[in-house]
Amino acid sequence: TDDDGISSSDDIVIKVHQNPIANAGEDVLIVDSDENGSEDVTLDGSGSTDPYGSIIFYSWTVEEDMEIATGVNPLTSFSVGTHIVTLQITDDDGAIAIDEVKIIIASPDNEAPLAEAGEDIEQVDADGSDSEIVSLDGSSSSDPDGSIFSYSWLEDDIEIGSGEMPDILFSAGMHEVVLLVSDNEGATDSDTLIVNILPACVFEACTGDFTAI
C-alpha cells in the first residue's frame, strides 16, 4: 500500500525440497549349496522413496566405492563371505541418499566362531561420579575356519558398544554384558561377563582395597 492508499499484491510459490530416502532392503544370508564359491543375489532398492519427485538413478557399491551394479533390482554375484553393499540413489533434483545392506554367502560346512568376553571386571568409582569407563576385551575370540567379522557388546539386548576392545561408560552397580561375535560367513556365538562398578570410600568406611563397606 502506498501513501495514496492504493494497494497491490502478488503471489510467490516456495518449493521446499525434501531429500529422497534410500532403502537397500533386508540383510541377506545364503548358503553356497553347490560349493562353487559364489551365489547370485537380487538386490532390492524398491523400498526407496522420494516424497516430492522421482528417483532417477540407483548405484550399488561395495568396499572402496567400487560400483557393482545399477538399477532397482540388479542380480549380482557374491563370493563366500560377508559383503557390506551401499545403495546410493539420486532424484530428479540431484539430491542423493544412501543405505547399506549386508550380504552373507556362507559355505555349508562353516564352523561357528567362539566368543570370549574376558574375565569379570570390578572397578572402583574413584572420582565419585557414579560411573567409570571400562575397557572390554574380546580379543581372545576366535574362528576355526575363517575370521571374526563383527563384535557387538549388549546389555539388556541393547548394543552399548562394538569392536574388539571398546571403552564403555558404566554407571555404578552391577552389569551383565553379552559379547556377540559374527564370523565372515554369518555364524555367531556369544559369551557373558559381569562388570561391577563399586562405590568409592565414604569417610572412614572403607575396606582394605579402598572400596566402600
Side-chain angles (χ1 to χ4, degrees):
T1 303
D2 65 13
D3 53 1
D4 291 324
I6 300 173
S7 62
S8 180
S9 64
D10 193 12
D11 295 326
I12 184 173
V13 176
I14 299 176
K15 181 180 179 181
V16 179
H17 182 75
Q18 183 174 339
N19 285 338
I21 301 170
N23 186 335
E26 299 293 326
D27 291 343
V28 176
L29 171 60
I30 297 178
V31 175
D32 179 25
S33 54
D34 60 5
E35 300 187 58
N36 70 346
S38 65
E39 286 290 324
D40 289 339
V41 176
T42 299
L43 302 175
D44 185 7
S46 63
S48 303
T49 58
D50 189 13
Y52 298 110
S54 58
I55 300 170
I56 62 172
F57 191 66
Y58 298 76
S59 174
W60 301 85
T61 60
V62 290
E63 296 81 359
E64 300 179 356
D65 295 328
M66 182 178 70
E67 186 174 75
I68 57 172
T70 59
V72 182
N73 298 113
L75 182 66
T76 307
S77 180
F78 291 92
S79 60
V80 168
T82 298
H83 308 268
I84 302 300
V85 181
T86 300
L87 167 63
Q88 178 175 299
I89 60 173
T90 306
D91 72 5
D92 51 353
D93 284 322
I96 64 173
I98 62 173
D99 190 29
E100 290 184 343
V101 62
K102 183 188 296 183
I103 308 296
I104 302 172
I105 309 299
S107 57
D109 56 353
N110 179 46
E111 295 185 44
L114 177 64
E116 290 287 351
E119 299 295 326
D120 292 344
I121 297 172
E122 280 193 345
Q123 196 161 309
V124 177
D125 174 24
D127 60 3
S129 64
D130 290 329
S131 63
E132 282 292 315
I133 294 176
V134 176
S135 297
L136 302 180
D137 187 357
S139 62
S140 294
S141 301
S142 59
D143 186 43
D145 60 351
S147 59
I148 305 293
F149 180 79
S150 66
Y151 300 77
S152 179
W153 301 85
L154 311 169
E155 184 175 13
D156 297 328
D157 294 325
I158 298 173
E159 186 174 71
I160 58 173
S162 61
E164 188 177 14
M165 293 187 290
D167 293 330
I168 299 175
L169 182 69
F170 288 95
S171 59
M174 190 170 294
H175 304 264
E176 184 177 284
V177 180
V178 175
L179 168 62
L180 178 66
V181 298
S182 301
D183 72 7
N184 58 308
E185 295 183 35
T188 63
D189 188 38
S190 63
D191 190 29
T192 302
L193 83 156
I194 300 298
V195 176
N196 191 11
I197 305 301
L198 302 169
C201 295
V202 179
F203 300 107
E204 300 302 321
C206 297
T207 64
D209 61 359
F210 300 103
T211 59
I213 295 176

